[in-house]
Amino acid sequence: MKEQIKNNLNKVTDLEKKKLLKETLNFVFSGMIDYTDYMYEKIHQRVFEELNLDEQRKKIYVTLQDKEKYDYLDDFMFPMDKSDIQKTEVTTNELREKMEQNQKIVLGTTYLKEDFLKLEKLDFNQVYDGVLVTDVKKYPIKIRLKKSDKYLHKIKMLYQYYQQNNMEWVSVNAPYLSKYYDYVLAEKVELGEEEKVMDIILSLGHLDAINYSSLIPFWNLEETYLTSANFPIATGESLRFQHTFSLDDGESVYRYIVCFEQDHDGYVIRGKHTISIVITEENMSSWPVYKFHDKNPDIHYDYEYPVYSNGNIDSFMVGFSRCQKRVIRSKAELVRLLKSYEISNEFDIININIIDNIEYKKETYNINYFIEDDIRTDVKRKQLRVTLKAKQESYLSRDLMSFLIGELQNYFPEYECVGMLAGNSESVS
């Protein structure tokens, strides 16, 4: 508006009229324009604050790293399980005690770099040779591979924390986690006493080429604690106390996820610069939390393996649509939903069909297996089948596709959502 007034003033050739007009416009309209611009900016800011997209829907990033090369000064990615980078001592006495009690003995966890469908064909009854190395001698052992839930359990617990923190759940795009396997002792072995286990050497035969035991998953969630010197406040609820933790200046309250144990019946209240935990415990000066870390735009992160996230491309439009709770009624809207995720750039959408539920080898798996649906118990639900074509197919393509299908399942619980990887190009119908 100011530019338009300036252009019109330049067209006036009479200096006296131009001076009078300029004084009038500056006195009457300039303040009005400034006020209008100010109010427009306030409305714009309020809309974003009401949606609170970037705050409440924090991205979760996941990657792989060799634990021997982990940079302890990295302020973006952290081990999903701290025990992976900590030196723990195991003795032959501990192993012998577990064998006497017929307990399952997990000697370690390894990453198998292979496609989902090929890993599904693994024979878990097959026995492999190995060597248990102690500080005294070497013991020949037999082991079996079993699917590991070590890291998947972390995602399950994170979902529970989201519910207790009253935060909207977004599936975690962690394609690496389904490829971890425990090696379990298959037969009892006679061990010496008071010996320290130094190493486990395995021979997995044809699997040796895809076996990477030093690779561990990392994400941008740091396990830390909130500390407080404030006194607890008794609430109106019976035997409950409110513990308030003040955050640093400018720090978002949505940067933290409060971690509750299963036997803790508590909840979280978020203020402008405070996080309050209401719980039955009266004496509490610190509390475990997950802290989100965002990418620093000034730093180039050079990780050996790709970093994947569950983020959206157009966070405002997607967030606005979520706020409106719009029902998806057309395939065009469904396609728009799938393309809203960053990972969708890895695929072309080929076909979307609703078919009768038939038995066939599924190419995707349920990444939110821990979310139970007690309402829709009909096992004969129809299938919503999405066919995707990977722009550059890799051993992770079906795992990445499973994330998109998992998010789709959250929108269409009345269907069983499945995905297929296409080998040829067709048009979306």
Side-chain angles (χ1 to χ4, degrees), residues 212-255:
Y212 295 83
S213 58
S214 63
L215 290 180
I216 59 174
F218 286 73
W219 58 2
N220 62 320
L221 297 181
E222 178 190 8
E223 293 182 55
T224 183
Y225 288 87
L226 288 177
T227 57
S228 173
N230 298 327
F231 291 102
I233 300 174
T235 66
E237 305 173 59
S238 61
L239 299 177
R240 284 183 183 267
F241 300 89
Q242 179 173 322
H243 304 265
T244 301
F245 300 86
S246 300
L247 304 183
D248 295 335
D249 291 340
E251 198 169 30
S252 169
V253 294
Y254 289 100
R255 195 177 182 183

Side-chain angles (χ1 to χ4, degrees), residues 148-159:
S148 176
D149 62 355
K150 178 180 178 180
Y151 303 111
L152 294 173
H153 182 70
K154 292 280 185 180
I155 307 297
K156 178 180 178 180
M157 293 304 299
L158 185 65
Y159 169 75

Side-chain angles (χ1 to χ4, degrees), residues 21 31 55 83 132 201 280 284 331 337 364:
L21 184 59
E55 296 303 318
S83 65
L132 179 70
I201 303 173
T280 54
M284 188 182 77
K331 288 185 179 180
L337 169 67
T364 52

Side-chain angles (χ1 to χ4, degrees), residues 124-275:
F124 292 118
N125 292 318
Q126 184 172 347
V127 177
Y128 303 93
D129 294 321
V131 177
L132 179 70
V133 182
T134 72
D135 57 347
V136 176
K137 61 183 294 188
K138 297 179 180 179
Y139 298 91
I141 58 174
K142 301 288 185 181
I143 64 104
R144 287 190 179 93
L145 290 178
K146 298 293 181 184
K147 193 86 171 181
S148 176
D149 62 355
K150 178 180 178 180
Y151 303 111
L152 294 173
H153 182 70
K154 292 280 185 180
I155 307 297
K156 178 180 178 180
M157 293 304 299
L158 185 65
Y159 169 75
Q160 294 181 10
Y161 299 151
Y162 263 69
Q163 306 312 301
Q164 292 164 321
N165 283 255
N166 196 28
M167 294 174 66
E168 179 187 1
W169 174 251
V170 181
S171 306
V172 179
N173 184 17
Y176 303 109
L177 303 190
S178 67
K179 304 184 186 300
Y180 277 94
Y181 291 80
D182 293 331
Y183 32 96
V184 181
L185 194 63
E187 299 175 358
K188 292 183 178 180
V189 57
E190 293 294 331
L191 300 173
E193 295 185 5
E194 299 296 338
E195 297 179 24
K196 294 180 181 178
V197 177
M198 308 301 292
D199 195 11
I200 307 288
I201 303 173
L202 300 178
S203 177
L204 300 181
H206 68 286
L207 298 179
D208 281 337
I210 61 171
N211 180 32
Y212 295 83
S213 58
S214 63
L215 290 180
I216 59 174
F218 286 73
W219 58 2
N220 62 320
L221 297 181
E222 178 190 8
E223 293 182 55
T224 183
Y225 288 87
L226 288 177
T227 57
S228 173
N230 298 327
F231 291 102
I233 300 174
T235 66
E237 305 173 59
S238 61
L239 299 177
R240 284 183 183 267
F241 300 89
Q242 179 173 322
H243 304 265
T244 301
F245 300 86
S246 300
L247 304 183
D248 295 335
D249 291 340
E251 198 169 30
S252 169
V253 294
Y254 289 100
R255 195 177 182 183
Y256 294 90
I257 299 178
V258 178
C259 303
F260 291 93
E261 296 294 336
Q262 290 186 347
D263 57 344
H264 284 144
D265 183 18
Y267 59 90
V268 177
I269 301 174
R270 300 179 190 273
K272 191 171 183 179
H273 300 295
T274 61
I275 293 178

Side-chain angles (χ1 to χ4, degrees), residues 357 371-382 409 412-416:
N357 200 321
I371 301 179
E372 297 180 358
D373 192 337
D374 297 328
I375 299 174
R376 301 165 187 86
T377 57
D378 184 9
V379 295
K380 296 296 184 182
R381 290 181 298 169
K382 287 195 172 185
Q409 186 70 71
F412 296 97
E414 65 271 22
Y415 296 108
E416 180 192 12

